Amino acid sequence: MAEQSLPRRRVLAGMVALPLGAALARLAPARAESGGLSPTPACDDHPTPEQTEGPYWTPNSPERSDFTSDGAPGEPMTLTGTVVDTACRPVPGTLLDFWHCDGNGVYDNTGYKLRGHQFTDGNGAFRLTTVKPGLYPGRTRHFHVKMRPPGGQVLTTQLYFPGEPANRADGIYRPELEMTVSDPGHASFTFVVKK
Ligand SMILES: [Fe+2]
C-alpha cells in the first residue's frame, strides 16, 4: 500500500466521520430521463444522486488509480470522467475513492484489491484503470465511489452499466447513474457536486 501524506489522512478521516444516515436523508429526487444514449447527468443544478455505500466499503484505501497489479479476474476496462459543480465548472482536487467487486462478483474485504482513491486533476478529470465488476446475488453490475470536493461534503454513490439485464431487478439501480459506455473497455461519467 502506498503511504499517505498527513493531509490526505485527514481528508479520509473526515470521510469516515460523515454520518451516513444524514447523507442518505438528502437523497435527491429521481430525475426524469429520456432513455437516450447519453445518460450522464448534465450540470444543470442537479447534483449526482447519493446512494448507499453498502456493506463493503473499507476506509483508508491507498492512493492509486490503476488496479491492474491486483491481478483480479475480470475484463480490463477504464473509467474516465470529470467532476463539475452545479455551474458546470470543473472541480480540481476532488477526492474520489473507488471500490468494487472483481469479475466474479467477489469483494476483497480483508485487503485493498480493487480499492483506491485519487484526486481530480486541474481540469476536474479522473481516470481509473481496473476490471469490469461482476454480478453478485441481489445486485446488478456497479462501481462504488465516495467523493469529496475541496471544502465540500462527502457524496457516496454508485455507477451502473447501460443495457444490463439485472438493472431492472435491482432496487438500488437508478438510470441517471448509468455511465456512458463507448466500447466494452471504456466507460465515462460526469459527477455533479454542490460547492
Ligand atoms: Fe456493491
Side-chain angles (χ1 to χ4, degrees):
M1 180 193 315
E3 291 198 3
Q4 298 165 6
S5 66
L6 192 57
R8 284 171 183 158
R9 285 182 186 277
R10 285 202 295 269
V11 167
L12 291 172
M15 290 175 60
V16 176
L18 179 85
L20 182 62
L24 293 177
R26 298 195 305 273
L27 274 172
R31 295 172 58 199
E33 290 291 325
S34 65
L37 294 177
S38 183
T40 300
C43 42
D44 55 358
D45 204 27
H46 288 84
T48 299
E50 297 193 42
Q51 293 224 293
T52 177
E53 72 179 30
Y56 301 128
W57 180 61
T58 301
N60 301 314
S61 71
E63 181 179 356
R64 61 191 190 132
S65 58
D66 188 344
F67 298 163
T68 305
S69 63
D70 293 348
E75 301 171 30
M77 68 167 287
T78 56
L79 168 59
T80 61
T82 307
V83 178
V84 300
D85 64 18
T86 50
C88 301
R89 297 172 297 203
V91 186
T94 298
L95 169 68
L96 292 160
D97 188 17
F98 288 102
W99 74 102
H100 65 92
C101 65
D102 66 22
N104 295 327
V106 177
Y107 284 90
D108 176 11
N109 290 315
T110 58
Y112 289 96
K113 286 186 177 179
L114 305 181
R115 300 173 184 273
H117 72 273
Q118 60 180 288
F119 296 85
T120 54
D121 67 14
N123 297 314
F126 68 90
R127 179 184 186 89
L128 176 67
T129 302
T130 186
V131 296
K132 190 174 182 179
L135 300 169
Y136 59 91
R139 293 306 317 276
T140 189
R141 203 181 305 276
H142 62 280
F143 286 109
H144 292 270
V145 60
K146 280 181 181 286
M147 49 190 301
R148 186 179 193 178
Q153 295 184 324
V154 174
L155 170 68
T156 303
T157 193
Q158 302 183 30
L159 300 179
Y160 300 96
F161 291 78
E164 282 288 332
N167 284 349
R168 295 188 301 274
D170 187 326
I172 301 174
Y173 160 83
R174 291 180 66 167
E176 60 267 47
L177 290 170
E178 281 188 359
M179 300 172 288
T180 298
V181 178
S182 55
D183 65 67
H186 180 222
S188 62
F189 192 81
T190 302
F191 293 102
V192 183
V193 297
K194 286 184 178 176
K195 282 211 76 183

